[in-house]
Amino acid sequence: AKSLNQWELLNEYAKQWPTAQPGLLMECAWKSADWERLRELFFKHALPSQPGIKMLQTYAAIHDGKLNEAEQRCNEGIQFAIQQWNSLPPIDVASHTPLLQMFQQFQELQESAQMLMELNNAMRQGAIPELSSILLTWRERLPNPWEELPAWNDLVSWRNHMFSHINNVLGRVADQSTPQLASLGYQEILWTVVRFAHVARRQMLPEACVSIIHKIQNDRFSAVSGDLNDSFAKLREQTRACLQMPGYVKHGLQALDATDMEFLAPQKKAEIFQLKGELLLASSRAYEGTETAQNEDEEMAANNFATAISIYGEMPKAWLLWGGFCDKQHRNGASHGADAASWAERALSCYMLSMQLRHENAVSMVPRVLALMDEPMSAEEGAALSNAFGKYSDGVPLWQWLPWLPQLLRALPRCYGSQAQHLLIRISKAYPQSLYYPLRTLLADPTVYSLQPPAVWIPEKPPEGASPPAEATAATDEAGGDTAAAAAGGSAAAGQLPASGVTDGAPVAPSPTAGAPTAEAAAPVGTGSAVAPATAPSAAAEAAEAEAAAAVEAEATIGTGVAARVLSGLKLEYPQLHCQLDVMWDMLIANTLPTPTEQLLASICEMATICLSVQPVPPDTPPMPILEALRAIDATFCFSSGVANDAPTKALHSAYRQRFVRDFLAEAPTQLSELTAKLDGWRTMLETQLVAMRTPHGLEESCCRLLAVQHPLIEVPGQDLEANGLRPSVDQNIIIERFHPDVRLRRDAATGVTDRVFSVYGDDCSRHSFHLRIDSPLRRHGVLELERLSQLLRLINRRLLKARESRRRALVVQAPLVLRLGNGIALHSSDPSSISLATVMLSARVDAGLVPHGPTLTHQRTLSRGLEPPDEEARR
């Protein structure tokens, strides 16, 4: 009941057992402003020394104007709260949250006493009290949106008591010259309660939201100054609450249809049409009638989105929802053979305009934008989509592309390669170290050198006489251009809509082939510079300038291959940084990768795990995938051919080649259980020999240059990927100060993977540990899979942080840092606290002197033969 804000029900419940629930009775009394009853309860019951009781006594003392007593009770409550805080464990857990909320309430009680003193002095002197600083502080200091509703209710209830008192006093002090003072308290009540209702709705409590709004809809608020804005805020929260209650969607539509929009600002008019569209979409999803009626609701919703954007273009959510409608039409058209390409172009334009305006959900649409660009299409359709992508990409903040740089680089040979190349060159100037790792991976692929780089793409200039925003001239520099590009894109959004908004019953999103003149005038300039109308060059001069810029960029290309111009942009802008990164990672790859023997151990362990996962069925024949995996191991380590190009491989062949050929190739096991037993024996042998030959290894022995040289330009890797959908702060990124000289050798008992963990110290004295891994012969694209998995997990974490229950408990999925470095090598973050349950179990068996997979091997052998386990090992 507390979480649903049902205090009347709680009050009736507490009255039924007055002696059993005195604390609940007191809480209900002050929430309903029944101060006489609260005082009676104080004298009737023995009050324990708790911070909550002291807070109730402080409420009553402030209401009675006894400021000295209020200060004394407040200080006592703070002392009791501190004692409880000291009794809690030092680990940050959920038990600390109620006390933190209580400390905030005590702080506001002290400020309330200060406000009463100001009001008393103002009444005695006939002056206007200075309350603006405290009221502004109260607006800015609110609980987190995901905190429990009772915490919000305690804060809002007390503030409303104070605002009512302020309004009574200011009503006497205000004169005809300052009539707005008489309604200052009511304005604060309205703003606070609407914010409270907004939080209840965001926490998926629509009934509580409607109940909160209903309590303030009475006659005494009708005369409040600025009531139009407050009424619109109440209408918006009520309508959005109807979205969460499917049975009340029609009520929300009726409330919007009954709204008089004559005196509303254009932005609020547009938002009303957007809300209508959202309600119609919700109605179509819950519709149980025919498909025709559902499609009609969707088209009406799209028409409302079109109308909203035509009234006020800077509506990011309307662009996003409209893009979703166009995307659905594109998918339906693709399945029915209709004109799907035009819908794809419209969806792409809407998504990117929403990204320009920085809607919180638009960042998650970047993979959908790239997927639309990668769909199979004709050359003409591809050109239209490429032009739309290039037209709007300059207005999208560059940091939104950072998690998807591998996909952008792989797009260089495709139809929109020129636009992607232009975008990557801009990113290389703003986020060079974020681009370095995926670019290094791409350049390690020899096939990219047989492809020519895409043609240079020049963004369209605004028409002659147009004056683009001044901030757009700095779009090449992310420090100022990121914000500028979004601002330019936002101003462009208002003009991107066709005049009618709807064509033949279907909404038409902005397309680069048919843009309105106002859209062209406000479009982002990209890398160009703004030209005043008086000095605007002619069309011929602009064409000559574009050709000259393309020629200069082409001549500056370094090297060959599809990514040559992107690499040139990075090297020419940051030559020293690029050189330092190349030298550092080349040395680390050469000295910290697993040796061939360690790679063989990991492959044998993975092979054994695959064998153990196969269901043993007589006649126990090894399946074909397992035999293919054996051949893949043989091809990787060249046991059959005997080719060895380096000293470690030669040492591996001299030690294990003959035995491997004899055990797995010349006399291949005919039974799966026999193959699994041999693999387990190889695992034990390799682990024993690697433990025996383990020697201390440090960077001073192999990479002494890394220890001696300073790295003033290199950042700790992966910081931009941990921003969780927020703009990374480049100026606050941690710079590598030095390398730790020791390298820790770590071997996983479950997977057999050997890691050499090296550490770096940042300029903030923090320590960060990493290790390098290489692709397994059995999974040639394992590193790529991990990279794609980390991208997916970051999207999931972004959704989890928006959910109330998961955010309240700080629940996120661990997204490992994986940065590919090319040739199947990847950089992983090293977390010593992360360990699998299989590793724990196998390590315990090894420490106890037992065979790690003994029970599993016996179980498999027994099932394959159809016998009961006769040996003791199966029971151990």
Side-chain angles (χ1 to χ4, degrees), residues 459-489:
E460 295 181 4
K461 297 287 183 180
E464 185 175 352
S467 56
E471 303 89 55
T473 59
T476 54
D477 186 3
E478 179 63 15
D482 194 350
T483 307

Short mmCIF file of all heavy atoms in Angstrom, two decimals, residues 459-489:
data_model
loop_
_atom_site.label_atom_id
_atom_site.label_comp_id
_atom_site.label_asym_id
_atom_site.label_seq_id
_atom_site.Cartn_x
_atom_site.Cartn_y
_atom_site.Cartn_z
N PRO A 459 30.10 16.63 -48.30
CA PRO A 459 28.73 16.95 -47.89
C PRO A 459 28.15 18.08 -48.71
O PRO A 459 28.86 18.95 -49.20
CB PRO A 459 28.89 17.35 -46.41
CG PRO A 459 30.21 16.81 -46.00
CD PRO A 459 31.07 16.79 -47.22
N GLU A 460 26.83 18.03 -48.87
CA GLU A 460 26.15 19.07 -49.63
C GLU A 460 26.23 20.40 -48.89
O GLU A 460 26.06 20.48 -47.69
CB GLU A 460 24.69 18.69 -49.84
CG GLU A 460 24.49 17.46 -50.71
CD GLU A 460 23.03 17.14 -50.89
OE1 GLU A 460 22.20 17.94 -50.39
OE2 GLU A 460 22.73 16.12 -51.52
N LYS A 461 26.49 21.45 -49.66
CA LYS A 461 26.51 22.79 -49.10
C LYS A 461 25.10 23.35 -49.05
O LYS A 461 24.25 23.01 -49.87
CB LYS A 461 27.39 23.70 -49.96
CG LYS A 461 28.85 23.28 -50.03
CD LYS A 461 29.56 23.56 -48.73
CE LYS A 461 31.05 23.21 -48.85
NZ LYS A 461 31.76 23.47 -47.60
N PRO A 462 24.82 24.23 -48.09
CA PRO A 462 23.51 24.88 -48.09
C PRO A 462 23.38 25.80 -49.30
O PRO A 462 24.38 26.25 -49.85
CB PRO A 462 23.50 25.67 -46.77
CG PRO A 462 24.94 25.86 -46.45
CD PRO A 462 25.66 24.67 -46.97
N PRO A 463 22.16 26.06 -49.76
CA PRO A 463 21.98 26.92 -50.93
C PRO A 463 22.46 28.33 -50.68
O PRO A 463 22.62 28.77 -49.54
CB PRO A 463 20.47 26.87 -51.17
CG PRO A 463 19.88 26.49 -49.85
CD PRO A 463 20.88 25.61 -49.19
N GLU A 464 22.70 29.02 -51.78
CA GLU A 464 23.23 30.39 -51.67
C GLU A 464 22.24 31.28 -50.95
O GLU A 464 21.04 31.27 -51.23
CB GLU A 464 23.48 30.93 -53.08
CG GLU A 464 24.13 32.29 -53.09
CD GLU A 464 24.48 32.74 -54.50
OE1 GLU A 464 24.34 31.91 -55.43
OE2 GLU A 464 24.89 33.89 -54.66
N GLY A 465 22.76 32.05 -50.03
CA GLY A 465 21.91 32.94 -49.24
C GLY A 465 21.49 32.37 -47.92
O GLY A 465 20.97 33.08 -47.08
N ALA A 466 21.67 31.06 -47.71
CA ALA A 466 21.30 30.45 -46.44
C ALA A 466 22.41 30.64 -45.44
O ALA A 466 23.59 30.62 -45.78
CB ALA A 466 21.01 28.97 -46.62
N SER A 467 22.05 30.81 -44.19
CA SER A 467 23.04 31.00 -43.13
C SER A 467 22.91 29.87 -42.13
O SER A 467 21.99 29.84 -41.34
CB SER A 467 22.82 32.35 -42.43
OG SER A 467 21.52 32.42 -41.93
N PRO A 468 23.80 28.89 -42.21
CA PRO A 468 23.73 27.78 -41.27
C PRO A 468 24.10 28.23 -39.88
O PRO A 468 24.65 29.31 -39.69
CB PRO A 468 24.76 26.78 -41.83
CG PRO A 468 25.72 27.64 -42.58
CD PRO A 468 24.92 28.77 -43.14
N PRO A 469 23.79 27.41 -38.88
CA PRO A 469 24.15 27.78 -37.51
C PRO A 469 25.64 28.00 -37.37
O PRO A 469 26.46 27.34 -38.00
CB PRO A 469 23.68 26.57 -36.69
CG PRO A 469 22.65 25.91 -37.53
CD PRO A 469 23.06 26.16 -38.95
N ALA A 470 26.00 28.94 -36.53
CA ALA A 470 27.41 29.28 -36.39
C ALA A 470 28.21 28.14 -35.81
O ALA A 470 29.38 27.95 -36.12
CB ALA A 470 27.55 30.52 -35.48
N GLU A 471 27.56 27.31 -34.95
CA GLU A 471 28.31 26.23 -34.34
C GLU A 471 28.70 25.14 -35.33
O GLU A 471 29.61 24.36 -35.08
CB GLU A 471 27.50 25.58 -33.22
CG GLU A 471 27.04 26.53 -32.13
CD GLU A 471 25.70 27.14 -32.46
OE1 GLU A 471 24.75 26.41 -32.71
OE2 GLU A 471 25.63 28.39 -32.52
N ALA A 472 27.99 25.08 -36.48
CA ALA A 472 28.26 24.00 -37.43
C ALA A 472 29.61 24.14 -38.08
O ALA A 472 30.13 23.21 -38.68
CB ALA A 472 27.18 23.96 -38.50
N THR A 473 30.22 25.31 -38.01
CA THR A 473 31.53 25.51 -38.63
C THR A 473 32.61 24.74 -37.91
O THR A 473 33.68 24.52 -38.47
CB THR A 473 31.88 27.00 -38.62
OG1 THR A 473 31.89 27.44 -37.25
CG2 THR A 473 30.87 27.81 -39.40
N ALA A 474 32.35 24.31 -36.71
CA ALA A 474 33.35 23.54 -35.94
C ALA A 474 33.02 22.07 -35.91
O ALA A 474 33.45 21.36 -35.04
CB ALA A 474 33.44 24.08 -34.51
N ALA A 475 32.26 21.59 -36.89
CA ALA A 475 31.81 20.19 -36.86
C ALA A 475 32.94 19.21 -37.05
O ALA A 475 32.81 18.05 -36.73
CB ALA A 475 30.75 19.95 -37.93
N THR A 476 34.07 19.65 -37.59
CA THR A 476 35.18 18.73 -37.78
C THR A 476 35.86 18.38 -36.48
O THR A 476 36.53 17.36 -36.38
CB THR A 476 36.22 19.34 -38.73
OG1 THR A 476 36.59 20.63 -38.22
CG2 THR A 476 35.63 19.52 -40.11
N ASP A 477 35.70 19.20 -35.48
CA ASP A 477 36.33 18.94 -34.19
C ASP A 477 35.27 18.47 -33.23
O ASP A 477 34.30 19.18 -32.98
CB ASP A 477 37.00 20.22 -33.68
CG ASP A 477 37.80 19.98 -32.41
OD1 ASP A 477 37.88 18.83 -31.96
OD2 ASP A 477 38.33 20.95 -31.88
N GLU A 478 35.42 17.27 -32.70
CA GLU A 478 34.38 16.71 -31.82
C GLU A 478 34.22 17.53 -30.56
O GLU A 478 33.16 17.55 -29.97
CB GLU A 478 34.74 15.27 -31.47
CG GLU A 478 33.76 14.59 -30.54
CD GLU A 478 32.38 14.47 -31.16
OE1 GLU A 478 32.25 14.65 -32.37
OE2 GLU A 478 31.43 14.20 -30.40
N ALA A 479 35.25 18.21 -30.13
CA ALA A 479 35.12 18.98 -28.89
C ALA A 479 34.04 20.01 -29.00
O ALA A 479 33.28 20.24 -28.07
CB ALA A 479 36.46 19.65 -28.56
N GLY A 480 33.94 20.67 -30.17
CA GLY A 480 32.87 21.63 -30.37
C GLY A 480 31.88 21.17 -31.41
O GLY A 480 30.75 21.63 -31.46
N GLY A 481 32.32 20.29 -32.28
CA GLY A 481 31.49 19.89 -33.39
C GLY A 481 30.42 18.91 -33.02
O GLY A 481 29.41 18.80 -33.72
N ASP A 482 30.62 18.14 -31.95
CA ASP A 482 29.61 17.16 -31.56
C ASP A 482 28.32 17.86 -31.19
O ASP A 482 27.25 17.57 -31.71
CB ASP A 482 30.15 16.35 -30.38
CG ASP A 482 29.32 15.12 -30.15
OD1 ASP A 482 28.26 14.97 -30.75
OD2 ASP A 482 29.76 14.30 -29.33
N THR A 483 28.43 18.84 -30.31
CA THR A 483 27.25 19.60 -29.93
C THR A 483 26.73 20.41 -31.10
O THR A 483 25.53 20.54 -31.30
CB THR A 483 27.60 20.51 -28.75
OG1 THR A 483 28.18 19.72 -27.72
CG2 THR A 483 26.37 21.22 -28.23
N ALA A 484 27.65 20.95 -31.88
CA ALA A 484 27.25 21.77 -33.01
C ALA A 484 26.47 20.97 -34.03
O ALA A 484 25.47 21.41 -34.58
CB ALA A 484 28.47 22.41 -33.65
N ALA A 485 26.96 19.77 -34.31
CA ALA A 485 26.29 18.95 -35.31
C ALA A 485 24.88 18.60 -34.87
O ALA A 485 23.94 18.60 -35.66
CB ALA A 485 27.10 17.69 -35.57
N ALA A 486 24.73 18.28 -33.58
CA ALA A 486 23.40 17.95 -33.09
C ALA A 486 22.48 19.16 -33.15
O ALA A 486 21.31 19.07 -33.50
CB ALA A 486 23.48 17.42 -31.67
N ALA A 487 23.05 20.33 -32.81
CA ALA A 487 22.24 21.55 -32.88
C ALA A 487 21.85 21.85 -34.32
O ALA A 487 20.71 22.22 -34.61
CB ALA A 487 23.02 22.73 -32.29
N ALA A 488 22.79 21.66 -35.23
CA ALA A 488 22.48 21.89 -36.63
C ALA A 488 21.43 20.91 -37.12
O ALA A 488 20.49 21.25 -37.83
CB ALA A 488 23.74 21.78 -37.47
N GLY A 489 21.60 19.64 -36.73
CA GLY A 489 20.62 18.63 -37.12
C GLY A 489 19.26 18.91 -36.52
O GLY A 489 18.23 18.69 -37.15
#
